Structure formats: structure tokens, C-alpha cells
Amino acid sequence: MFMRTTLEKIAFAVLAVFLCVTMGKDWYDLYTCGAVGQCLSSAGQLQLYTKFIMSCCLTVLAFLVAKRSFCARDGQLLRFAFIFSLIADFCFSKFKVIAPDAGTLSTVLGVGFFMVFQAILIYRHSRENENDKSCPKVFWVIFAVAAVFAGLAIAGVMDAVVAEVLIYGGFVITSMVVGILAPRKAYFPKKNALLVRWGMVAFLIGDVMVGLSMLSGDDHSALQVLACLANNLIWVFYVPAQLMIIRSATKE
């Protein structure tokens, strides 16, 4: 069983309730507003709170489950990763409530902290044994790509936010590839490695939904409808992805 302690069961129950509330409100808003960006933005204020509450529940679960991880260092890495995941979600949700006019800053900070989250997962999933503290060689490839996009942004050839999103794309794709290769490592037990694999695949799909949700077009246009549908599907993939990553640390 995934949930063993009373606190884990409570956190999971709260998470499930708020996921249902969020999904219900998202689809209700789309039904009442249609594919009208401004209307959906105004109607979706509740979700900024419910999504952050879900992030808190996931972080609590990560800390609780890490106590019974299959190895101590993996549990520590899981907790460390979810601290940055929580901060990133804070930037994407509560930061918009605190500073509604700082949308760009919210995105820049959120994407930045998620890059750290993915970097920790890449390190976690590439380790081959408990004592492996080596830096994954794939980081050099990511840093090289990041340097190229950063240079283009500094030179004014590319928008800085676009460059950051593309750099993050390199992180999340690499993280998924490393996660898929995890079953080939002797370090992760078979079931844990499978959870890593599918967790990272689901996470990438969720990030694709995030990217599509950022598209904008005329009200009720096909592009705007696609963005609205993608927005409503983000947490459908995000929550299971995070739960699988959390579950991958447990010793059974």
C-alpha cells in the first residue's frame, strides 16, 4: 500500500479532494466562459489557491514517504527536490495572487525553480549505487545548450523568457530520458524503477500541456480552445506524475 501512516492518508485525502475541486472548477469555467482568455483568468482565481494546496500536500507526502525510502540518501534527494517543486508552484500560483501584475516574473521564477527540481531528479535517477556522488555527464550537455540559448537572449536574438523555457525543455526531456533508463541500473528496485519511468513520462506530458496552455489566439478560435483544454489537463498528469516519483522512493 502507498499510504501507510495516518498523516499520509490525510495528506492524500486532502490532495484528492482539492484535485476534484480544481478539475471541476476548471471545466465549469470553460463551460461558462468558453474559450475566452480574460474571462477564464478572472474566473480561475480559486484554482490559484487549490493548486498550491495540492503542491503542499505532495510535498508533505514526499517528506513522509521519504522516511521509509529504500535508501537514506534517496529519501534526502526526494525531499530536497520537492522543496524546489513547492517553491516553483508557489511562484506559478500564490505569487500571482500577491503580485497579479508580475506575470512574467512569476513565470521566470517558476520555470527557474523547476529547472532545479529536474536537475535534482536527473542526479537522483542517474546514480548507480548508494555511494555514487559523481556528477552526471549529461549535465555538461544541458549546460552547453543552456549557454547557447542564454547567449542568444543576451545578444537580443531571442526573448529571455522564451530562452529560459527552451532551456527548461532541455532539462525536462533529459530528465525523462534518464528516468526511462533508470530500470537498467541495478540501484533502483524493479518496481521503483518502473514508477520513475512512468512518473517522468507523465511529468513531460504535463509540461507539454503547460506549453500548449500558454498559446493565445482570438476568443473561441481553435488555438484558444486548444490552450484552454491543455490548461485543464495539466494537473491530470502532474499529480499522478508527482505521486509516482514519490512512491518510487519506498522500500517494499
Side-chain angles (χ1 to χ4, degrees):
M1 293 290 291
F2 176 32
M3 301 302 149
R4 286 186 174 181
T5 69
T6 301
L7 286 177
E8 287 176 19
K9 292 176 182 177
I10 291 173
F12 185 79
V14 173
L15 174 64
V17 168
F18 278 92
L19 179 59
C20 291
V21 171
T22 301
M23 291 176 61
K25 186 63 164 56
D26 276 342
W27 290 105
Y28 175 77
D29 291 345
L30 183 58
Y31 175 77
T32 55
C33 289
V36 180
Q38 186 58 49
C39 178
L40 289 170
S41 178
S42 299
Q45 294 300 303
L46 174 65
Q47 290 90 306
L48 296 179
Y49 293 92
T50 60
K51 290 175 180 178
F52 183 65
I53 291 173
M54 286 192 287
S55 294
C56 291
C57 290
L58 288 166
T59 304
V60 169
L61 281 171
F63 271 72
L64 293 174
V65 171
K67 292 181 180 179
R68 50 187 174 86
S69 60
F70 68 91
C71 74
R73 185 165 175 76
D74 190 71
Q76 292 172 355
L77 288 171
L78 185 72
R79 290 171 178 168
F80 193 42
F82 272 81
I83 289 173
F84 284 95
S85 176
L86 180 64
I87 297 173
D89 281 329
F90 174 85
C91 294
F92 280 124
S93 54
K94 292 293 291 180
F95 193 88
K96 292 181 179 179
V97 177
I98 298 171
D101 297 325
T104 300
L105 180 59
S106 170
T107 300
V108 169
L109 291 174
V111 172
F113 283 116
F114 263 127
M115 275 195 273
V116 179
F117 171 74
Q118 293 295 348
I120 296 171
L121 291 186
I122 291 171
Y123 176 74
R124 177 198 181 214
H125 300 154
S126 63
R127 296 170 68 230
E128 297 186 11
N129 57 66
E130 175 64 10
N131 298 318
D132 185 0
K133 297 182 180 180
S134 61
C135 179
K137 294 180 180 179
V138 71
F139 275 149
W140 296 110
V141 178
I142 297 175
F143 293 151
V145 173
V148 171
F149 284 124
L152 291 174
I154 293 172
V157 177
M158 179 181 291
D159 180 79
V161 177
V162 174
E164 184 189 33
V165 171
L166 290 174
I167 292 171
Y168 173 72
F171 271 90
V172 72
I173 291 173
T174 302
S175 189
M176 185 197 69
V177 172
V178 171
I180 289 175
L181 295 177
R184 298 182 183 179
K185 307 289 186 181
Y187 180 62
F188 280 92
K190 185 176 181 180
K191 290 183 179 179
N192 300 58
L194 192 63
L195 287 165
V196 168
R197 173 189 294 173
W198 289 110
M200 293 314 305
V201 169
F203 203 104
L204 178 64
I205 295 173
D207 275 340
V208 170
M209 294 298 108
V210 172
L212 292 175
S213 72
M214 292 181 178
L215 299 174
S216 62
D218 296 331
D219 292 341
H220 304 298
S221 66
L223 189 61
Q224 189 66 23
V225 170
L226 176 62
C228 294
L229 292 174
N231 179 74
N232 288 6
L233 292 173
I234 293 171
W235 284 77
V236 174
F237 292 100
Y238 183 68
V239 171
Q242 295 283 60
L243 286 174
M244 282 188 278
I245 292 170
I246 294 170
R247 176 66 174 76
S248 70
T250 60
K251 179 180 180 180
E252 299 296 347

